[in-house]
């Protein structure tokens, strides 16, 4: 009976190289989306744009690329607030008071319109993402 250990090792090494290559393609695709999201992200002080990042996790069953923000207010900018929020926003205008400073006094708001810079970045690059993931 012949020894197949060398053959099995070569198959395992080839599988690992293929997974590494696919993870590299996912990383490239995420970078494309990240770059476009940073270009389209609304900027006040720049913290939201600076926080856009990506990560790629891979195992034997899946390779997952994620582009996003970790700032607490990022979902409110992306999805909107108040009457403009998708699904769960407040349905009526509301008032709030600023105690001091440039905006001191009472203000009425209906919320903030969504600025879906991450979703838009994904959709703008859909064809390029497909080419990258295919290895072209």
């Amino acid at each position: 009976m012949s020894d197949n250990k060398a053959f099995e090792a070569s198959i395992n090494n080839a599988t690992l190289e293929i997974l590494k290559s696919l993870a590299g393609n996912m990383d490239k695709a995420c970078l494309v989306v990240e770059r476009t999201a940073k270009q389209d992200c609304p900027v006040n002080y720049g913290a939201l744009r600076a926080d856009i990042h990506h990560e790629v996790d891979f195992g034997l069953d899946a390779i997952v690329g994620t582009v996003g923000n970790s700032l607490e207010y990022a979902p409110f900018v992306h999805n909107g607030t108040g009457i403009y929020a998708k699904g769960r926003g407040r349905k009526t205008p509301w008032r709030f008071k600023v105690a001091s400073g440039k905006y001191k006094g009472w203000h009425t708001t209906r919320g903030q319109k969504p600025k879906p810079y991450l979703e838009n970045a994904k959709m703008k690059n859909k064809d390029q993402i497909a080419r990258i993931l295919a290895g072209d």
Side-chain angles (χ1 to χ4, degrees):
M1 182 164 213
S2 64
D3 187 11
N4 291 327
K5 289 182 184 177
F7 176 74
E8 289 176 11
S10 70
I11 294 294
N12 289 337
N13 289 337
T15 302
L16 184 59
E17 289 302 314
I18 290 168
L19 288 173
K20 285 181 182 178
S21 175
L22 293 173
N25 290 350
M26 180 63 80
D27 190 64
K28 289 175 190 173
C30 286
L31 282 169
V32 167
V33 174
E34 181 180 331
R35 181 174 46 249
T36 302
K38 285 185 177 187
Q39 291 169 351
D40 295 347
C41 180
V43 177
N44 194 3
Y45 297 107
L48 187 64
R49 180 186 341 187
D51 187 62
I52 298 172
H53 60 278
H54 77 279
E55 62 182 50
V56 175
D57 296 316
F58 79 96
L60 294 176
D61 58 341
I63 299 171
V64 179
T66 307
V67 180
N69 292 87
S70 60
L71 295 177
E72 187 176 333
Y73 65 90
F76 302 111
V77 174
H78 192 271
N79 299 329
T81 62
I83 66 170
Y84 305 108
K86 296 176 183 175
R88 298 184 5 209
R90 188 174 183 157
K91 302 300 178 210
T92 59
W94 65 96
R95 292 178 51 83
F96 63 96
K97 185 177 183 179
V98 177
S100 63
K102 181 178 177 180
Y103 299 104
K104 181 178 180 178
W106 283 95
H107 302 273
T108 302
T109 184
R110 299 168 62 107
Q112 174 179 297
K113 291 183 179 178
K115 297 175 181 100
Y117 55 94
L118 292 168
E119 180 68 23
N120 291 346
K122 178 185 74 175
M123 296 311 291
K124 282 181 185 178
N125 293 294
K126 185 172 60 171
D127 293 338
Q128 187 176 359
I129 292 166
R131 283 192 304 275
I132 292 169
L133 293 178
D136 292 345

